[in-house]
Each structure stands twice: as structure tokens, then as C-alpha cells.
């Protein structure tokens, strides 16, 4: 089983940036980073493709309609009805062709979360293949151009929900996965690999734990990477709703990952369609009604006032995460514009 993961250099850049943001926003501003990471409700987010043919592009766009039908945000794929083509981007771009830049040529599946897709501090200043710069991938669906997997639509929706600000359900601090996962090998396990290099049960049927299994093929993850991708996020910057076993954001792991069977951490949805919880989460992030937009605006105004009064812009310099006050002020202005324009 190959799991979703961003490149290590991208993860490191995000961690440095987020530590700086948290330090800058200390003092009870728990919504600040979440607000900066979401797109503006009511706005249009452009999507472009690096590779793949027009039929694949059309299918990807079609799979995301479940998402945009459930929130006050538009995804614009740049479809030209006359030619049947969709918007494209290139690795030589110096200006953003799109906020979400899709590729099919790298291994595995991944997406940057929310507005990280346009954060130029992510991705080694534009030198790597993945990051927040115009010529870098922000979302990858590996090998879709050659052979789409079964239930490919669910994977598309999973990655695009990341691109709109969602995190993994198995890392929800309100869920049971932290305690349900079988992290360590069964007692006496003798490391045993199959012909593909995957760790499997030994000659006495004792099973590898998650750490050992993911250290083998095809993932080859060290322990720290397992923790980053699977351990619960007890993070004040992540707005977590109730744990939702039907969410497309919950991985369908092999049964031996869990201590119990059936496990309370195992998905009960079909892995294809958005759950009611997914739809509620989308509406929470990108509300439709004027009252909900006004609530976001009031909260944003209060946060901005707290930054100015309690922290001071002089203590928020241009640094690895940019000027936090200016970034947040731009979100406040965008929310105000969304209110003026009116909700759907």
C-alpha cells in the first residue's frame, strides 16, 4: 500500500513557516493560521494541468463538482467549449497560471493544503518540483495519465479537499485512530519481506507493526515521517469537526493496521462520495449565507485588532512566513469584499 505524502523538503519548509506563524500569533489567536490557509469564500480558484489529455482533464473537473456543489467557492478549470481544452501550466512559468497546479507525472498522490499552493516560501524558492511557486506542482495524481486506479474519483475528491484546506480524518484529535493504530510489531516478530520488499507476517504468523510496514516498499518511511503523516494532530491551528468515519478524508488502511476488528477508526463510507460531514465542513470553511460571512468577518476583524493591539506589527517582520499582519489584513479585506458582493 502506497500512502500519500508530500516531499520531505516541502514538509520541512511548511513546518518552519508554521512554527514562525504560531510564535508570531501567540496570545489566543487560534483562528489566525486557519483563516490565512483558506481561500476567500465566494471566490474563484483557478486550476491548471501540467500533463495528461483533455478527456482526463474533463473527468477530473467533473469529479470535483460534488465539492463545489457543497460550498461557496468556484473551481475554474479554464475549459474552452469551442476547442474542448482546459487550462495548462508549465514548469517554466514565472506568473501563476492557476492557484492549484495539477500534475500526473510524479509518484503517488499529494496536495498542498489550502493557500499553501501559492505560498512562495514553500518549495526551496521555486527550485524543486513541488511547492507554492508558479512553476511547481501543488497537487499530484500519480500515473493517472497512464492508468487510473479503481475508485479514482474518491482520490481526486480527497486531494482537492486538501487543496481547499482539509486535513486527514485519521489525524483528527477527536477520533480514536491514535489509540487504535497498531504502531509496533507483534512480540517476537522476525522482519520478513516478500519478493516486492514489503514487510509481511513472519513464518510463525506474527505481523509487522505500522512503523516496520511503512519502512519497507513502496513507502520507505522513517519513523518521523510515519508520525507526521499518521499521528493525531493536537494542533490549535487546525479547526477539527467531529470524527467522521464516512469521510473521503479517512484512509482505508489494511486490517492489520488496527488493534481491533472492526475498528472504530476504519472507514464506513464508500471512499468515493463526500459524506454529509464533508459537506458540512465545506460549508463551514466556505459559507453561503450573509450571516455566516458576517460571522467570519467579525472574527477576522477581532483577530486583526488583537494583532495590532497586543503584538504590534514591528514584531512581525518579513520572515520565513512573510508578514503575518499583512497576510491576515488581506484576508480581512477579501472577506469584506465578499460580503459587499453578497452571498450566493
Amino acid at each position: 500500500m502506497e500512502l500519500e505524502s508530500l516531499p520531505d523538503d516541502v514538509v520541512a519548509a511548511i513546518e518552519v513557516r508554521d512554527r514562525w506563524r504560531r510564535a508570531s500569533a501567540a496570545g489566543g489567536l487560534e483562528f489566525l493560521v486557519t483563516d490565512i490557509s483558506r481561500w476567500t469564500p465566494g471566490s474563484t480558484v483557478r486550476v491548471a494541468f501540467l500533463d495528461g489529455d483533455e478527456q482526463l482533464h474533463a473527468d477530473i473537473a467533473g469529479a470535483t463538482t460534488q465539492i463545489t456543489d457543497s460550498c461557496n467557492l468556484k473551481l475554474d478549470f479554464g475549459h474552452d467549449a469551442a476547442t474542448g481544452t482546459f487550462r495548462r501550466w508549465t514548469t517554466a512559468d514565472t506568473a501563476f497560471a492557476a492557484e492549484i497546479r495539477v500534475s500526473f507525472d510524479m509518484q503517488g498522490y499529494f496536495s498542498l493544503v489550502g493557500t499553501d499552493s501559492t505560498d512562495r516560501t514553500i518549495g526551496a524558492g521555486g527550485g524543486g518540483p513541488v511547492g507554492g511557486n508558479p512553476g511547481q506542482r501543488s497537487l499530484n495524481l500519480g500515473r493517472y495519465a497512464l492508468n487510473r486506479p479503481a475508485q479514482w474519483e474518491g482520490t481526486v475528491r480527497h486531494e482537492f479537499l486538501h487543496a481547499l484546506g482539509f486535513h486527514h480524518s485519521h489525524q483528527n484529535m477527536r477520533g480514536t485512530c491514535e489509540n487504535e493504530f497498531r504502531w509496533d510489531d507483534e512480540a517476537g516478530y522476525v522482519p520478513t519481506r516478500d519478493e516486492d520488499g514489503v514487510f509481511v507476517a513472519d513464518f510463525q504468523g506474527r505481523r509487522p507493526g505500522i512503523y516496520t510496514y511503512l519502512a519497507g516498499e513502496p513507502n520507505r518511511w522513517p519513523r518521523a515521517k510515519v508520525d507526521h503523516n499518521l499521528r493525531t494532530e493536537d494542533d490549535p491551528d487546525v479547526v477539527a469537526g467531529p470524527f467522521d468515519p464516512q469521510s473521503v478524508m479517512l484512509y482505508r488502511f489494511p486490517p492489520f493496521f488496527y488493534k481491533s476488528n472492526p475498528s472504530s477508526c476504519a472507514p464506513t463510507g464508500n471512499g468515493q462520495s463526500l459524506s454529509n460531514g464533508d459537506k458540512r465542513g465545506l460549508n463551514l470553511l466556505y459559507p453561503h449565507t450573509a450571516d455566516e460571512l458576517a460571522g467570519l468577518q467579525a472574527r477576522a476583524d477581532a483577530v486583526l485588532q488583537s494583532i495590532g493591539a497586543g503584538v504590534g506589527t514591528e514584531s512581525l517582520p518579513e520572515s520565513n512566513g512573510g508578514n503575518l499582519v499583512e497576510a491576515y489584513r488581506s484576508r480581512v479585506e477579501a472577506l469584506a469584499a465578499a460580503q459587499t458582493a453578497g452571498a450566493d
Side-chain angles (χ1 to χ4, degrees):
M1 178 183 184
E2 184 175 354
L3 296 187
E4 167 192 33
S5 176
L6 288 165
D8 291 346
D9 65 312
V10 173
V11 172
I14 292 171
E15 288 177 342
V16 170
R17 191 274 317 272
D18 286 351
R19 281 195 295 271
W20 180 84
R21 281 182 172 179
R22 292 185 190 105
S24 299
L29 307 182
E30 66 272 15
F31 290 108
L32 190 149
V33 175
T34 298
D35 284 347
I36 285 178
S37 297
R38 85 172 86 211
W39 306 102
T40 303
S43 65
T44 296
V45 176
R46 297 170 299 169
V47 183
F49 298 98
L50 175 67
D51 52 335
D53 60 27
E54 308 307 331
Q55 184 58 59
L56 176 57
H57 300 171
D59 290 345
I60 298 296
T64 66
T65 57
Q66 276 194 15
I67 295 173
T68 50
D69 285 347
S70 302
C71 65
N72 185 17
L73 193 80
K74 295 181 176 65
L75 291 175
D76 176 7
F77 289 83
H79 181 233
D80 184 329
T83 63
T85 59
F86 292 79
R87 182 182 294 108
R88 289 183 179 262
W89 69 279
T90 76
T91 56
D93 289 348
T94 56
F96 286 108
E99 287 72 45
I100 299 173
R101 297 169 304 286
V102 181
S103 64
F104 307 103
D105 63 338
M106 291 188 68
Q107 183 176 352
Y109 313 129
F110 58 77
S111 176
L112 293 172
V113 175
T115 58
D116 282 356
S117 297
T118 55
D119 186 339
R120 290 175 182 264
T121 68
I122 297 171
V130 180
N133 292 270
Q136 293 179 309
R137 299 154 183 80
S138 69
L139 188 155
N140 186 70
L141 297 164
R143 297 187 293 274
Y144 268 41
L146 300 175
N147 183 28
R148 285 181 245 175
Q151 296 194 322
W152 63 269
E153 297 100 326
T155 301
V156 170
R157 291 168 187 139
H158 179 109
E159 298 305 335
F160 270 86
L161 284 179
H162 277 315
L164 298 192
F166 276 55
H167 293 259
H168 284 134
S169 291
H170 64 262
Q171 293 182 292
N172 188 330
M173 58 188 172
R174 298 181 182 179
T176 63
C177 295
E178 178 81 17
N179 293 324
E180 269 292 295
F181 282 150
R182 201 174 52 79
W183 301 102
D184 298 312
D185 301 338
E186 291 182 339
Y189 173 71
V190 177
T192 305
R193 296 178 187 248
D194 66 13
E195 62 274 12
D196 296 320
V198 178
F199 282 104
V200 295
D202 67 16
F203 67 100
Q204 290 193 357
R206 294 170 296 207
R207 300 172 299 172
I210 289 174
Y211 285 122
T212 296
Y213 177 79
L214 292 179
E217 298 292 344
N219 298 285
R220 292 182 287 177
W221 285 3
R223 187 183 185 98
K225 192 165 186 174
V226 175
D227 288 344
H228 176 83
N229 285 281
L230 297 186
R231 288 282 186 182
T232 296
E233 290 182 339
D234 188 8
D235 187 342
D237 299 333
V238 176
V239 177
F243 176 73
D244 179 11
Q246 294 188 323
S247 174
V248 296
M249 301 308 291
L250 183 60
Y251 269 137
R252 192 172 298 276
F253 294 107
F256 72 86
F257 268 48
Y258 309 111
K259 294 177 180 176
S260 57
N261 186 20
S263 171
S264 57
C265 177
T268 57
N270 61 16
Q272 285 282 84
S273 300
L274 300 187
S275 69
N276 289 333
D278 292 330
K279 295 174 183 178
R280 284 192 297 270
L282 280 165
N283 191 59
L284 179 66
L285 282 175
Y286 304 105
H288 287 79
T289 70
D291 286 347
E292 289 169 320
L293 280 171
L296 286 179
Q297 175 69 45
R299 189 182 79 192
D301 285 337
V303 170
L304 188 59
Q305 183 177 4
S306 296
I307 294 173
V311 180
T313 57
E314 68 280 359
S315 66
L316 301 178
E318 289 289 346
S319 183
N320 198 57
N323 188 302
L324 196 61
V325 171
E326 291 307 313
Y328 199 81
R329 181 173 289 116
S330 71
R331 296 294 185 271
V332 174
E333 291 170 353
L335 279 170
Q339 276 193 274
T340 301
D344 288 349

